[in-house]
């Protein structure tokens, strides 16, 4: 009987410990989450790229306004990284 109680107590304490670890990990992830990376897009219907720099050569032909948006929003509009800046993404190891 003592063995059963001991095993039950051990399982219960392990379960509580793992739940606390999970909660701590979630809190750490929330605290370390970076603000969304911002990129520049040409605000025209035909524009298909996003740019890391406002003075990128790819934005020189923009006939509309240049807008700063999150990279997530740019990708939601099916924009891809500008050809002038693809080296920047691959060399820095970004996961956008």
């Amino acid at each position: 009987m003592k063995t059963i109680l001991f095993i039950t107590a051990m399982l219960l304490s392990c379960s509580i410990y793992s739940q606390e670890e999970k909660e701590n990990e979630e809190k750490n992830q929330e605290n370390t989450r970076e603000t969304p990376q911002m990129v520049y897009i040409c605000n025209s219907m035909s524009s298909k790229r996003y740019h890391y720099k406002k003075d990128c050569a790819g934005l020189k032909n923009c006939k509309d306004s240049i807008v700063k948006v999150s990279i997530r929003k740019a990708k939601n509009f099916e924009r891809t990284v500008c050809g002038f800046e693809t080296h920047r993404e691959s060399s820095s190891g970004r996961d956008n």
Side-chain angles (χ1 to χ4, degrees):
M1 184 68 178
K2 289 181 183 180
T3 305
I4 294 173
L5 289 175
F6 178 74
I7 292 172
T8 304
M10 291 299 291
L11 290 174
L12 183 60
S13 66
C14 288
S15 174
I16 291 171
Y17 177 75
S18 68
Q19 182 64 28
E20 288 175 356
E21 285 293 314
K22 184 177 178 182
E23 289 172 2
N24 287 338
E25 185 176 321
E26 288 173 359
K27 285 179 185 177
N28 286 339
Q29 286 176 352
E30 286 176 12
N31 291 338
T32 59
R33 238 179 240 150
E34 294 179 15
T35 57
Q37 182 180 358
M38 303 303 283
V39 294
Y40 297 93
I41 61 170
C42 179
N43 196 25
S44 71
M45 297 298 285
S46 61
S47 177
K48 296 185 179 7
R49 307 284 185 218
Y50 62 85
H51 312 265
Y52 292 109
K53 299 178 193 171
K54 192 172 184 175
D55 61 348
C56 175
L59 283 169
K60 291 190 191 278
N61 293 329
C62 181
K63 303 291 185 228
D64 207 325
S65 60
I66 296 172
V67 182
K68 190 175 186 179
V69 297
S70 70
I71 196 165
R72 181 176 291 160
K73 189 172 185 177
K75 287 184 175 187
N76 284 344
F77 287 113
E78 298 182 6
R79 306 230 180 174
T80 58
V81 67
C82 170
F84 291 105
E85 300 186 275
T86 54
H87 68 280
R88 180 176 171 179
E89 238 181 33
S90 60
S91 66
S92 66
R94 280 200 170 91
D95 183 24
N96 296 326

